[in-house]
Amino acid sequence: MIEQRIRDSFAKQTMMQTLGAHIAEVGEGTVTISAPILPGSRQQHGVAHAALSFAIGDSAAGYAALTLMPADSEVMTAEMKINLLAPGVGDLLRATGKVIKPGRRLIIVTAEVYAITGAEEKLIALLQGTMVPVSV
Amino acid sequence: MIEQRIRDSFAKQTMMQTLGAHIAEVGEGTVTISAPILPGSRQQHGVAHAALSFAIGDSAAGYAALTLMPADSEVMTAEMKINLLAPGVGDLLRATGKVIKPGRRLIIVTAEVYAITGAEEKLIALLQGTMVPVSV
Amino acid sequence: MIEQRIRDSFAKQTMMQTLGAHIAEVGEGTVTISAPILPGSRQQHGVAHAALSFAIGDSAAGYAALTLMPADSEVMTAEMKINLLAPGVGDLLRATGKVIKPGRRLIIVTAEVYAITGAEEKLIALLQGTMVPVSV
Amino acid sequence: MIEQRIRDSFAKQTMMQTLGAHIAEVGEGTVTISAPILPGSRQQHGVAHAALSFAIGDSAAGYAALTLMPADSEVMTAEMKINLLAPGVGDLLRATGKVIKPGRRLIIVTAEVYAITGAEEKLIALLQGTMVPVSV
């Protein structure tokens, strides 16, 4: 149910379609989003643009928060910090968001973004931020 | 000269083309990037995705740093924090990056992102981060 | 009136007394706090500890937010990011906090911390964060 | 050996003594620092000041980085972000810093700060930041 709600919301995020992202997994307080490194998602050296890691990390964290919210709520990012650890090179990127502390007014979240190359995965970005519930 | 170098680098960032972004202005230690809110750049409520503000804010800040670097250098984002102040609604978004403190190893930068609607402009995001020089 | 309220609250912050900090100025949406670099406020090389810059920057930002709040409210720091630009060396440190965007649920703030040596001042830290109103 | 080096450096940080902090544990890539909530470390409501959580979280993260550095290096905080999750109430605070990614130029770190009350521990702050090596 919550998974369907999240998939419906995700389907309306045209930015996710533009980036070729999809939801890989939904759990209680955690969501994983994957995206290829499309030809149109790169920076000047041909590797994934930081905004791609941000986009899927932020969305994974936001939907992780949403898994713990009442059915009539949505969340918005209040703030997000990203540390970029390594260039985004590989077959695809995979971001897992996680709720660290749920709350009525603020939800503290983190996300890890990995670059996947065959069987190997490498941590390339770490995010830490705050989601706020919004009524819809 | 530096402006040409920045425009050449920007032209190779396919993510910027995907988002419809272009360089509006280049000064010493400051760069402004504009982008429309394309149909493919939105979140689930139809307003600009946070990743759009991040993408142009981060790039404006990075190129602002590049204006102060030697000709054989480039910069990469080490970390960036974004506070989102208001929904991204308007005709277009405009991000101005600025160098706060140049350095040999770390360049501290900020960026402001405005949503422009006709003659009105509204601050919608504030970024603060660190660029690192990379040899190319 | 608001100034008195802020001075009363500040007087109860024993951490500020421990660090020798005092309020230098209160304006609408802005507060300045100064502190000496006490012998007990240093890191291993004898310069000001990062926590001193954080402490006065965070407090200046928090009280800046408080200047715009109703009389029965207080604020708490939800999150704060600090970039350290230069070592904290000088006669004293001075932090000026500023409200970027007031709000009913979130107040976005920044602060700049300067090291003052005679007539010279040097920017040593930049903070950007979020305050939340709390009822008391 | 590394533990002795860290304890020697820590002993020179007068801010740590002012706050009553001590090193509880040193491992490879991780350091734990504890501190009581001294009468002089509080905010206006009598709970631990955010700067106390920042001080021990930042120091734990910095010393965690130092455990992986060559003997003639030290580290400095380039930037640090803290999310405050709950008021600092309890018998003492305990911060554990951890290296997420070591590097020659940048070391990415995190820290968790817990408030300990008897046998109970509560996560009250989460930090994510960047340390830079400095030659001494």
Side-chain angles (χ1 to χ4, degrees):
Chain A
M1 222 121 72
I2 183 64
E3 178 158 355
Q4 194 52 50
R5 223 176 107 211
I6 284 168
R7 290 188 182 277
D8 289 349
S9 170
F10 187 88
K12 289 185 211 144
Q13 288 212 21
T14 59
M15 177 68 97
M16 290 296 109
Q17 298 160 30
T18 296
L19 301 174
H22 70 276
I23 293 181
E25 215 176 322
V26 174
E28 181 147 334
T30 179
V31 165
T32 297
I33 293 174
S34 293
I37 304 171
L38 294 180
S41 299
R42 305 187 182 194
Q43 41 92 296
Q44 68 273 22
H45 300 115
V47 308
H49 199 282
L52 177 59
S53 292
F54 178 87
I56 63 171
D58 175 62
S59 286
Y63 284 119
L66 196 56
T67 65
L68 305 182
M69 304 290 299
D72 59 344
S73 290
E74 293 227 15
V75 299
M76 279 181 48
T77 304
E79 56 85 24
M80 187 60 64
K81 192 230 193 178
I82 185 167
N83 282 78
L84 295 154
L85 315 183
V89 182
D91 302 332
L92 62 96
L93 303 188
R94 196 189 62 214
T96 298
K98 199 167 62 167
V99 174
I100 299 300
K101 180 169 183 294
R104 202 172 44 82
R105 299 203 305 168
L106 305 175
I107 302 116
I108 313 307
V109 291
T110 59
E112 295 182 335
V113 184
Y114 287 85
I116 316 289
T117 310
E120 196 195 347
E121 48 187 67
K122 185 176 187 178
L123 184 64
I124 62 165
L126 197 63
L127 295 86
Q128 179 177 314
T130 306
M131 298 288 156
V132 289
V134 288
S135 302
V136 286
Chain B
M1 220 120 74
I2 181 64
E3 177 158 354
Q4 194 52 51
R5 222 177 108 213
I6 283 168
R7 288 187 183 278
D8 289 349
S9 171
F10 188 89
K12 289 186 212 140
Q13 288 211 20
T14 59
M15 178 68 98
M16 290 295 109
Q17 298 160 30
T18 297
L19 300 174
H22 70 277
I23 294 182
E25 216 176 320
V26 174
E28 182 147 333
T30 179
V31 166
T32 297
I33 293 175
S34 293
I37 304 171
L38 294 179
S41 299
R42 305 187 181 194
Q43 40 91 296
Q44 69 274 22
H45 300 114
V47 307
H49 199 282
L52 177 59
S53 292
F54 179 88
I56 64 171
D58 175 63
S59 286
Y63 284 120
L66 196 57
T67 66
L68 305 182
M69 305 289 299
D72 60 342
S73 289
E74 293 228 17
V75 299
M76 278 181 48
T77 304
E79 57 87 22
M80 187 59 65
K81 191 227 192 181
I82 185 167
N83 282 79
L84 296 155
L85 315 183
V89 182
D91 302 333
L92 62 94
L93 303 189
R94 195 189 64 214
T96 298
K98 200 168 62 168
V99 173
I100 299 300
K101 181 170 183 293
R104 202 173 43 83
R105 300 201 306 167
L106 304 176
I107 303 117
I108 313 306
V109 292
T110 58
E112 294 182 336
V113 185
Y114 287 85
I116 316 289
T117 310
E120 195 195 346
E121 47 188 66
K122 184 176 188 178
L123 183 64
I124 63 164
L126 197 63
L127 294 86
Q128 179 177 314
T130 306
M131 298 286 157
V132 290
V134 288
S135 302
V136 285
Chain C
M1 220 120 73
I2 182 65
E3 178 157 355
Q4 195 52 50
R5 223 176 107 211
I6 283 169
R7 288 188 184 278
D8 290 348
S9 171
F10 188 87
K12 289 185 212 143
Q13 288 212 21
T14 59
M15 177 68 98
M16 290 296 109
Q17 299 161 30
T18 297
L19 301 174
H22 70 276
I23 293 181
E25 216 177 320
V26 175
E28 181 147 334
T30 179
V31 166
T32 297
I33 293 174
S34 293
I37 304 171
L38 295 179
S41 299
R42 304 186 182 196
Q43 40 93 295
Q44 69 274 23
H45 300 115
V47 308
H49 199 281
L52 177 60
S53 292
F54 179 87
I56 64 170
D58 175 63
S59 286
Y63 284 119
L66 197 56
T67 65
L68 304 182
M69 304 290 298
D72 59 343
S73 290
E74 294 227 16
V75 298
M76 280 180 48
T77 305
E79 57 86 23
M80 187 60 66
K81 192 228 192 179
I82 185 167
N83 281 80
L84 296 154
L85 314 182
V89 182
D91 303 332
L92 62 95
L93 303 189
R94 196 189 63 215
T96 298
K98 199 168 63 167
V99 174
I100 299 300
K101 182 170 183 292
R104 201 172 44 83
R105 299 202 304 169
L106 304 176
I107 302 118
I108 312 307
V109 292
T110 59
E112 295 182 335
V113 185
Y114 287 85
I116 316 289
T117 310
E120 196 195 347
E121 47 188 67
K122 185 177 188 178
L123 183 63
I124 63 165
L126 197 64
L127 295 85
Q128 180 177 313
T130 306
M131 298 286 157
V132 289
V134 287
S135 302
V136 285
Chain D
M1 220 120 73
I2 183 64
E3 177 157 354
Q4 194 52 51
R5 223 176 108 212
I6 284 168
R7 289 187 182 277
D8 290 349
S9 170
F10 188 88
K12 290 186 211 141
Q13 288 212 21
T14 59
M15 178 67 98
M16 290 296 109
Q17 298 160 30
T18 297
L19 300 175
H22 70 276
I23 293 181
E25 215 176 322
V26 175
E28 182 147 334
T30 180
V31 166
T32 298
I33 293 175
S34 294
I37 304 170
L38 294 180
S41 298
R42 305 187 181 194
Q43 40 92 296
Q44 68 274 23
H45 301 114
V47 307
H49 199 281
L52 177 60
S53 292
F54 179 87
I56 63 170
D58 175 63
S59 287
Y63 284 119
L66 196 57
T67 65
L68 304 183
M69 305 289 300
D72 60 343
S73 290
E74 293 227 17
V75 298
M76 278 181 46
T77 305
E79 56 87 22
M80 188 59 65
K81 192 226 193 182
I82 185 168
N83 281 79
L84 295 155
L85 315 182
V89 182
D91 302 333
L92 61 95
L93 302 190
R94 195 188 63 214
T96 298
K98 198 168 62 167
V99 174
I100 299 300
K101 181 170 184 293
R104 201 173 43 82
R105 300 203 305 168
L106 305 175
I107 303 115
I108 313 307
V109 291
T110 58
E112 294 182 336
V113 185
Y114 287 86
I116 315 290
T117 310
E120 195 194 347
E121 47 188 67
K122 185 176 187 178
L123 183 64
I124 64 165
L126 197 63
L127 294 86
Q128 179 177 313
T130 307
M131 299 286 157
V132 289
V134 288
S135 302
V136 285

CSV table of all heavy atoms in Angstrom, one decimal, chain A residues 35-79:
chain,number,residue,atom,x,y,z
A,35,ALA,N,19.6,4.4,-11.1
A,35,ALA,CA,19.5,5.2,-12.3
A,35,ALA,C,20.8,4.8,-13.1
A,35,ALA,O,21.9,4.7,-12.6
A,35,ALA,CB,19.5,6.7,-12.1
A,36,PRO,N,20.6,4.7,-14.5
A,36,PRO,CA,21.8,4.6,-15.3
A,36,PRO,C,22.5,5.9,-15.4
A,36,PRO,O,21.9,6.9,-15.0
A,36,PRO,CB,21.1,4.2,-16.7
A,36,PRO,CG,19.8,4.8,-16.6
A,36,PRO,CD,19.3,4.8,-15.2
A,37,ILE,N,23.7,5.9,-15.9
A,37,ILE,CA,24.4,7.2,-16.2
A,37,ILE,C,24.1,7.5,-17.6
A,37,ILE,O,24.9,7.2,-18.5
A,37,ILE,CB,25.9,7.1,-15.8
A,37,ILE,CG1,26.0,6.6,-14.4
A,37,ILE,CG2,26.6,8.5,-16.0
A,37,ILE,CD1,27.5,6.3,-14.0
A,38,LEU,N,23.0,8.1,-17.9
A,38,LEU,CA,22.6,8.4,-19.3
A,38,LEU,C,23.6,9.4,-20.0
A,38,LEU,O,24.2,10.2,-19.3
A,38,LEU,CB,21.2,9.0,-19.3
A,38,LEU,CG,20.0,8.1,-18.8
A,38,LEU,CD1,18.7,8.9,-18.9
A,38,LEU,CD2,19.9,6.8,-19.7
A,39,PRO,N,23.6,9.3,-21.3
A,39,PRO,CA,24.5,10.3,-22.0
A,39,PRO,C,24.1,11.7,-21.6
A,39,PRO,O,25.0,12.6,-21.6
A,39,PRO,CB,24.1,10.0,-23.5
A,39,PRO,CG,23.6,8.6,-23.5
A,39,PRO,CD,23.0,8.3,-22.2
A,40,GLY,N,22.9,12.0,-21.2
A,40,GLY,CA,22.5,13.3,-20.9
A,40,GLY,C,22.6,13.7,-19.4
A,40,GLY,O,22.1,14.7,-19.0
A,41,SER,N,23.3,12.8,-18.6
A,41,SER,CA,23.4,13.1,-17.2
A,41,SER,C,24.8,13.3,-16.7
A,41,SER,O,25.1,13.1,-15.6
A,41,SER,CB,22.8,11.9,-16.4
A,41,SER,OG,21.5,11.6,-16.7
A,42,ARG,N,25.7,13.8,-17.6
A,42,ARG,CA,27.1,13.8,-17.3
A,42,ARG,C,27.7,15.2,-17.1
A,42,ARG,O,27.1,16.2,-17.5
A,42,ARG,CB,27.8,13.1,-18.4
A,42,ARG,CG,27.3,11.7,-18.6
A,42,ARG,CD,28.0,10.8,-19.5
A,42,ARG,NE,27.2,9.5,-19.6
A,42,ARG,CZ,27.7,8.4,-20.1
A,42,ARG,NH1,28.9,8.4,-20.6
A,42,ARG,NH2,27.0,7.3,-20.1
A,43,GLN,N,28.8,15.3,-16.5
A,43,GLN,CA,29.5,16.5,-16.4
A,43,GLN,C,30.6,16.6,-17.5
A,43,GLN,O,30.6,15.7,-18.3
A,43,GLN,CB,30.1,16.7,-14.9
A,43,GLN,CG,30.7,15.5,-14.2
A,43,GLN,CD,32.2,15.4,-14.5
A,43,GLN,OE1,32.6,15.2,-15.6
A,43,GLN,NE2,32.9,15.5,-13.4
A,44,GLN,N,31.5,17.5,-17.4
A,44,GLN,CA,32.4,17.8,-18.5
A,44,GLN,C,33.4,16.7,-18.8
A,44,GLN,O,34.0,16.7,-19.9
A,44,GLN,CB,33.1,19.2,-18.4
A,44,GLN,CG,34.1,19.3,-17.3
A,44,GLN,CD,33.4,19.7,-15.9
A,44,GLN,OE1,32.3,19.5,-15.7
A,44,GLN,NE2,34.3,20.2,-15.0
A,45,HIS,N,33.6,15.8,-17.8
A,45,HIS,CA,34.6,14.7,-18.1
A,45,HIS,C,33.9,13.4,-18.4
A,45,HIS,O,34.5,12.3,-18.5
A,45,HIS,CB,35.5,14.5,-16.9
A,45,HIS,CG,36.3,15.7,-16.5
A,45,HIS,ND1,36.1,16.4,-15.3
A,45,HIS,CD2,37.2,16.4,-17.2
A,45,HIS,CE1,36.9,17.5,-15.3
A,45,HIS,NE2,37.6,17.5,-16.5
A,46,GLY,N,32.6,13.5,-18.6
A,46,GLY,CA,31.9,12.3,-19.1
A,46,GLY,C,31.4,11.4,-18.0
A,46,GLY,O,30.8,10.3,-18.2
A,47,VAL,N,31.7,11.7,-16.7
A,47,VAL,CA,31.2,10.9,-15.6
A,47,VAL,C,29.9,11.5,-15.1
A,47,VAL,O,29.5,12.6,-15.5
A,47,VAL,CB,32.2,10.8,-14.4
A,47,VAL,CG1,33.6,10.3,-15.0
A,47,VAL,CG2,32.4,12.1,-13.7
A,48,ALA,N,29.2,10.8,-14.2
A,48,ALA,CA,27.9,11.2,-13.7
A,48,ALA,C,28.0,12.6,-13.1
A,48,ALA,O,28.9,12.9,-12.3
A,48,ALA,CB,27.4,10.3,-12.7
A,49,HIS,N,27.1,13.5,-13.4
A,49,HIS,CA,27.0,14.8,-12.8
A,49,HIS,C,26.7,14.7,-11.3
A,49,HIS,O,25.9,13.8,-11.0
A,49,HIS,CB,26.0,15.7,-13.5
A,49,HIS,CG,26.1,17.1,-13.3
A,49,HIS,ND1,25.7,17.8,-12.2
A,49,HIS,CD2,26.6,18.1,-14.1
A,49,HIS,CE1,25.9,19.1,-12.3
A,49,HIS,NE2,26.5,19.3,-13.5
A,50,ALA,N,27.2,15.6,-10.5
A,50,ALA,CA,26.9,15.5,-9.1
A,50,ALA,C,25.4,15.6,-8.9
A,50,ALA,O,24.8,15.1,-7.9
A,50,ALA,CB,27.6,16.7,-8.4
A,51,ALA,N,24.7,16.3,-9.8
A,51,ALA,CA,23.3,16.5,-9.6
A,51,ALA,C,22.5,15.2,-9.8
A,51,ALA,O,21.4,15.1,-9.3
A,51,ALA,CB,22.8,17.5,-10.6
A,52,LEU,N,23.1,14.2,-10.5
A,52,LEU,CA,22.5,12.9,-10.6
A,52,LEU,C,22.5,12.2,-9.3
A,52,LEU,O,21.5,11.7,-8.8
A,52,LEU,CB,23.1,12.1,-11.7
A,52,LEU,CG,22.6,10.6,-11.9
A,52,LEU,CD1,21.1,10.6,-12.2
A,52,LEU,CD2,23.4,9.8,-12.9
A,53,SER,N,23.7,12.2,-8.6
A,53,SER,CA,23.8,11.6,-7.3
A,53,SER,C,22.9,12.3,-6.3
A,53,SER,O,22.2,11.7,-5.5
A,53,SER,CB,25.2,11.7,-6.8
A,53,SER,OG,26.1,10.8,-7.5
A,54,PHE,N,22.8,13.6,-6.4
A,54,PHE,CA,22.0,14.4,-5.5
A,54,PHE,C,20.5,14.0,-5.8
A,54,PHE,O,19.7,13.8,-4.8
A,54,PHE,CB,22.2,15.9,-5.7
A,54,PHE,CG,21.2,16.7,-4.9
A,54,PHE,CD1,21.6,17.1,-3.6
A,54,PHE,CD2,20.0,17.1,-5.3
A,54,PHE,CE1,20.8,17.8,-2.7
A,54,PHE,CE2,19.1,17.8,-4.5
A,54,PHE,CZ,19.5,18.2,-3.2
A,55,ALA,N,20.1,14.0,-7.0
A,55,ALA,CA,18.7,13.8,-7.4
A,55,ALA,C,18.2,12.4,-6.8
A,55,ALA,O,17.1,12.4,-6.2
A,55,ALA,CB,18.5,13.8,-8.9
A,56,ILE,N,19.0,11.4,-7.1
A,56,ILE,CA,18.5,10.1,-6.6
A,56,ILE,C,18.7,9.9,-5.1
A,56,ILE,O,17.8,9.2,-4.5
A,56,ILE,CB,19.0,8.9,-7.4
A,56,ILE,CG1,20.5,8.7,-7.3
A,56,ILE,CG2,18.6,9.0,-8.9
A,56,ILE,CD1,21.1,7.4,-7.9
A,57,GLY,N,19.7,10.4,-4.6
A,57,GLY,CA,19.9,10.4,-3.1
A,57,GLY,C,18.8,11.1,-2.4
A,57,GLY,O,18.3,10.6,-1.4
A,58,ASP,N,18.5,12.3,-2.8
A,58,ASP,CA,17.5,13.1,-2.2
A,58,ASP,C,16.1,12.5,-2.3
A,58,ASP,O,15.4,12.5,-1.3
A,58,ASP,CB,17.5,14.5,-2.9
A,58,ASP,CG,16.4,15.4,-2.4
A,58,ASP,OD1,16.4,15.8,-1.2
A,58,ASP,OD2,15.5,15.8,-3.2
A,59,SER,N,15.8,12.0,-3.5
A,59,SER,CA,14.5,11.3,-3.7
A,59,SER,C,14.4,10.0,-2.8
A,59,SER,O,13.4,9.8,-2.3
A,59,SER,CB,14.3,11.0,-5.2
A,59,SER,OG,14.0,12.2,-5.9
A,60,ALA,N,15.5,9.3,-2.8
A,60,ALA,CA,15.5,8.0,-2.0
A,60,ALA,C,15.2,8.4,-0.5
A,60,ALA,O,14.5,7.7,0.2
A,60,ALA,CB,16.8,7.3,-2.1
A,61,ALA,N,15.9,9.5,0.0
A,61,ALA,CA,15.7,9.9,1.4
A,61,ALA,C,14.3,10.4,1.6
A,61,ALA,O,13.7,10.1,2.6
A,61,ALA,CB,16.7,11.0,1.7
A,62,GLY,N,13.8,11.2,0.7
A,62,GLY,CA,12.4,11.7,0.8
A,62,GLY,C,11.4,10.6,0.8
A,62,GLY,O,10.5,10.6,1.7
A,63,TYR,N,11.5,9.6,-0.1
A,63,TYR,CA,10.5,8.5,-0.1
A,63,TYR,C,10.7,7.6,1.1
A,63,TYR,O,9.7,7.1,1.6
A,63,TYR,CB,10.6,7.8,-1.4
A,63,TYR,CG,9.9,8.6,-2.5
A,63,TYR,CD1,10.6,9.0,-3.6
A,63,TYR,CD2,8.6,8.9,-2.4
A,63,TYR,CE1,10.0,9.7,-4.6
A,63,TYR,CE2,7.9,9.7,-3.4
A,63,TYR,CZ,8.6,10.1,-4.5
A,63,TYR,OH,8.0,10.8,-5.5
A,64,ALA,N,11.9,7.5,1.6
A,64,ALA,CA,12.1,6.8,2.9
A,64,ALA,C,11.3,7.4,4.0
A,64,ALA,O,10.6,6.7,4.8
A,64,ALA,CB,13.6,6.7,3.2
A,65,ALA,N,11.4,8.7,4.1
A,65,ALA,CA,10.6,9.5,5.1
A,65,ALA,C,9.1,9.2,4.8
A,65,ALA,O,8.3,9.0,5.8
A,65,ALA,CB,10.9,11.0,5.0
A,66,LEU,N,8.7,9.2,3.6
A,66,LEU,CA,7.2,9.0,3.3
A,66,LEU,C,6.7,7.7,3.7
A,66,LEU,O,5.5,7.5,4.1
A,66,LEU,CB,7.0,9.2,1.8
A,66,LEU,CG,5.6,9.5,1.3
A,66,LEU,CD1,5.0,10.7,2.0
A,66,LEU,CD2,5.5,9.7,-0.2
A,67,THR,N,7.5,6.7,3.8
A,67,THR,CA,7.1,5.3,4.2
A,67,THR,C,6.6,5.4,5.6
A,67,THR,O,5.8,4.5,6.1
A,67,THR,CB,8.2,4.2,4.1
A,67,THR,OG1,9.2,4.5,5.0
A,67,THR,CG2,8.7,4.1,2.7
A,68,LEU,N,7.0,6.4,6.4
A,68,LEU,CA,6.6,6.4,7.8
A,68,LEU,C,5.5,7.5,8.1
A,68,LEU,O,5.2,7.8,9.2
A,68,LEU,CB,7.8,6.7,8.7
A,68,LEU,CG,9.0,5.8,8.5
A,68,LEU,CD1,10.1,6.2,9.5
A,68,LEU,CD2,8.6,4.3,8.8
A,69,MET,N,5.0,8.1,7.0
A,69,MET,CA,4.0,9.2,7.2
A,69,MET,C,2.6,8.7,7.0
A,69,MET,O,2.3,7.7,6.3
A,69,MET,CB,4.3,10.3,6.1
A,69,MET,CG,5.7,10.8,6.1
A,69,MET,SD,6.0,11.8,7.5
A,69,MET,CE,4.8,13.1,7.3
A,70,PRO,N,1.6,9.4,7.7
A,70,PRO,CA,0.2,9.1,7.4
A,70,PRO,C,-0.2,9.2,5.9
A,70,PRO,O,0.5,10.0,5.2
A,70,PRO,CB,-0.6,10.1,8.3
A,70,PRO,CG,0.4,11.0,8.9
A,70,PRO,CD,1.8,10.5,8.6
A,71,ALA,N,-1.2,8.6,5.5
A,71,ALA,CA,-1.6,8.5,4.1
A,71,ALA,C,-1.9,9.8,3.4
A,71,ALA,O,-1.8,10.0,2.2
A,71,ALA,CB,-2.8,7.5,3.9
A,72,ASP,N,-2.3,10.8,4.2
A,72,ASP,CA,-2.6,12.1,3.6
A,72,ASP,C,-1.5,13.1,3.6
A,72,ASP,O,-1.7,14.3,3.4
A,72,ASP,CB,-3.9,12.7,4.3
A,72,ASP,CG,-3.6,12.9,5.8
A,72,ASP,OD1,-2.6,12.4,6.3
A,72,ASP,OD2,-4.4,13.7,6.4
A,73,SER,N,-0.3,12.6,3.9
A,73,SER,CA,0.9,13.6,4.0
A,73,SER,C,1.8,13.3,2.8
A,73,SER,O,1.8,12.3,2.1
A,73,SER,CB,1.7,13.3,5.3
A,73,SER,OG,1.0,13.7,6.4
A,74,GLU,N,2.6,14.4,2.6
A,74,GLU,CA,3.7,14.2,1.7
A,74,GLU,C,4.9,14.9,2.4
A,74,GLU,O,4.8,15.5,3.4
A,74,GLU,CB,3.5,14.9,0.4
A,74,GLU,CG,2.3,14.3,-0.4
A,74,GLU,CD,2.7,14.0,-1.9
A,74,GLU,OE1,3.9,14.2,-2.2
A,74,GLU,OE2,1.8,13.8,-2.7
A,75,VAL,N,6.1,14.8,1.8
A,75,VAL,CA,7.2,15.4,2.4
A,75,VAL,C,7.9,16.3,1.4
A,75,VAL,O,7.8,16.0,0.2
A,75,VAL,CB,8.3,14.4,3.0
A,75,VAL,CG1,7.7,13.5,4.1
A,75,VAL,CG2,8.8,13.5,1.9
A,76,MET,N,8.6,17.3,1.9
A,76,MET,CA,9.5,18.1,1.0
A,76,MET,C,10.9,18.2,1.7
A,76,MET,O,11.0,18.1,2.9
A,76,MET,CB,9.0,19.5,0.9
A,76,MET,CG,7.8,19.6,-0.1
A,76,MET,SD,7.2,21.3,-0.2
A,76,MET,CE,8.8,22.2,-0.4
A,77,THR,N,11.9,18.3,0.9
A,77,THR,CA,13.2,18.5,1.4
A,77,THR,C,13.4,19.9,1.9
A,77,THR,O,13.2,20.9,1.2
A,77,THR,CB,14.3,18.3,0.3
A,77,THR,OG1,14.1,17.1,-0.4
A,77,THR,CG2,15.7,18.4,0.8
A,78,ALA,N,13.8,20.0,3.2
A,78,ALA,CA,14.1,21.3,3.8
A,78,ALA,C,15.5,21.7,3.5
A,78,ALA,O,15.9,22.8,3.2
A,78,ALA,CB,13.8,21.3,5.3
A,79,GLU,N,16.4,20.7,3.7
A,79,GLU,CA,17.8,20.9,3.5
A,79,GLU,C,18.5,19.6,3.3
A,79,GLU,O,18.0,18.6,3.8
A,79,GLU,CB,18.5,21.7,4.6
A,79,GLU,CG,18.3,21.1,6.0
A,79,GLU,CD,19.4,20.0,6.3
A,79,GLU,OE1,20.5,20.0,5.7
A,79,GLU,OE2,19.1,19.1,7.2
